[in-house]
Amino acid sequence: MNTREQLRLLILAVLERQPEHGYAIAQAIKARSDGLLNAREGTLYPALHALEAEGLVESQEHEISGRVRREYRLTAKGGGALAKSRRMWAAQVQAVGAVIGSGA
């Protein structure tokens, strides 16, 4: 799984809990990873647009505190893609673990 696919997995996982706007997605990724992962604007929004074009997320504009925000939510198709990506990630983690060992 390359970096692009990892970002897609992270976005879908955040949206599984609830719909969010782009900035909140980035903040959730950072918070859930204890600051180790950052979804930068230059990669986050193109990924969101690609996920939307594939029908994995959908968006709608909402006015929040006088400001228009685009909120994204996971579709049923996106839920299936998330499950598949989780399986791929688990297999990759297992494979890397087999190569690097426990270090003990």
Side-chain angles (χ1 to χ4, degrees):
M1 182 176 283
N2 63 34
T3 304
R4 180 180 157 271
E5 293 166 331
Q6 289 173 14
L7 177 58
R8 291 166 55 97
L9 169 59
L10 297 172
I11 292 169
L12 294 175
V14 167
L15 294 177
E16 180 181 40
R17 289 189 182 176
Q18 66 187 35
E20 295 285 7
H21 56 85
Y23 180 77
I25 294 168
Q27 292 304 109
I29 290 169
K30 187 173 185 175
R32 291 187 202 176
S33 69
D34 291 329
L36 293 174
L37 302 175
N38 289 305
R40 301 199 175 169
E41 190 174 308
T43 55
L44 178 66
Y45 288 100
L48 283 166
H49 296 303
L51 290 167
E52 189 169 23
E54 293 173 42
L56 304 180
V57 302
E58 56 189 22
S59 69
Q60 187 173 8
E61 287 186 349
H62 295 279
E63 188 172 330
I64 302 170
S65 301
R67 196 170 169 196
V68 176
R69 300 259 186 181
R70 181 164 296 277
E71 186 176 78
Y72 296 87
R73 74 173 193 85
L74 192 65
T75 64
K77 184 177 177 182
L82 174 58
K84 180 180 178 183
S85 292
R86 281 184 169 139
R87 288 190 301 272
M88 290 173 52
W89 179 254
Q92 185 172 357
V93 168
Q94 184 177 5
V96 169
V99 173
I100 67 173
S102 66

